[in-house]
Amino acid sequence: MIEPGPDDAFDAVALAEQRYADWPEGVRANMVMSLDGAAVFQGKVRPLSSRTDQRLFHALRAMADVILVGAGTARVEQYGPAILDDELTALRKRQLGPSATPAPHIAMVTRTCSVPATALAAESDLRPLVITTERADATSVTVHADVIAAGDEEIDFAEAIGGLRARGFRRILCEGGPTLLAALTAAGLVEELCLTLAPVLTAEPAGVGAGAAAEGTNLLPVPVRATLRHSVAHDDHLFLRYVTRSIGRAGRDDPPSPAPVSGDREVR
């Protein structure tokens, strides 16, 4: 059932705590999508978003141990260290406990170790992470970032997620883009998807994940089935939370074979 939020008193942080907090661990993906299936408009996510969506976006961050993002998206969106205001800090302490880090770490996935300087800001007390391959030259990022080498020539996403969990990151929030989300899904690693459906048409030529599909990298024999946990409407946006039936739960099917990100294309 769609539950409308009052236009004059919609609290995205309260919504996050009431509807998204039952997340003990795993990979949660968060994205916004237009009515015609685009994840960006003219290369940017912001035109699809809203003030409420942005507030929910930051609330979901507050409940995460680490934010996982493709380096291509990190460059386009100028990612930097995650910053929480007082309300979000209080939410984080309530959900993760007083010993939690002040904010989630940032982990960028890249085959080339080319990451934005904004994400390697030395003034942050939380060192970012760079997930790359064994053969990549990581010397340019080791001063300000910790490196997880996962896979030889191509990124092994199961190994990458295992590396994050080995460092104590139990709640992994994937913020995309579509290439990264497709690879994690094909590897059987996405346990839930938080999707904002934006009330806009973009006329973008490629929908979500279309690039990966066009290059024949989709190794899923059938689409992954998900169950709707809730839907909330506000200001013509629809906030959806889906959980997958086959990942990380009793009686699950065997996850599909991992889909590596190949070629010179950067992870987004």
Side-chain angles (χ1 to χ4, degrees), residues 111 132-138 148-155 159:
R111 295 178 65 254
T132 189
T133 66
E134 294 281 357
R135 297 197 179 187
D137 182 1
I148 296 177
D152 185 17
E153 294 183 347
E154 306 297 339
I155 294 172
E159 188 176 338

Side-chain angles (χ1 to χ4, degrees), residues 5-16 20 30 32 46 48-60 88 196 232-239:
D7 289 342
D8 57 348
F10 193 87
D11 188 336
V13 175
L15 174 66
Y20 295 83
N30 183 32
V32 61
R46 185 59 67 98
L48 307 184
S49 189
S50 67
R51 184 167 62 179
T52 299
D53 178 58
Q54 284 293 306
R55 194 59 178 164
L56 180 58
F57 169 88
H58 287 288
L60 295 181
L88 294 174
T196 298
V232 177
H234 174 67
D235 194 24
D236 295 325
H237 284 71
L238 190 58
F239 304 99

Side-chain angles (χ1 to χ4, degrees), residues 83-129:
I83 299 174
L84 305 180
D85 61 24
D86 290 344
E87 184 183 20
L88 294 174
T89 297
L91 170 65
R92 184 172 181 81
K93 289 181 178 179
R94 288 195 299 271
Q95 295 301 318
L96 275 64
S99 62
T101 57
H105 289 254
I106 301 291
M108 292 163 287
V109 182
T110 170
R111 295 178 65 254
T112 62
C113 288
S114 175
V115 297
T118 54
L120 300 177
E123 63 267 18
S124 174
D125 293 332
L126 300 177
R127 282 174 65 86
L129 298 100

Side-chain angles (χ1 to χ4, degrees), residues 26-27 68 131 148 150 156-167 169 172 184 189:
V27 177
L68 185 65
I131 298 173
I148 296 177
D156 183 323
F157 286 93
E159 188 176 338
I161 296 301
L164 290 174
R165 287 173 171 154
R167 287 163 172 78
F169 299 126
I172 301 167
L184 291 170
L189 296 167

Side-chain angles (χ1 to χ4, degrees), residues 175-197:
E175 293 181 354
T179 304
L180 176 58
L181 178 57
L184 291 170
T185 301
L189 296 167
V190 177
E191 294 187 277
E192 71 172 75
L193 172 65
C194 303
L195 173 66
T196 298
L197 186 61

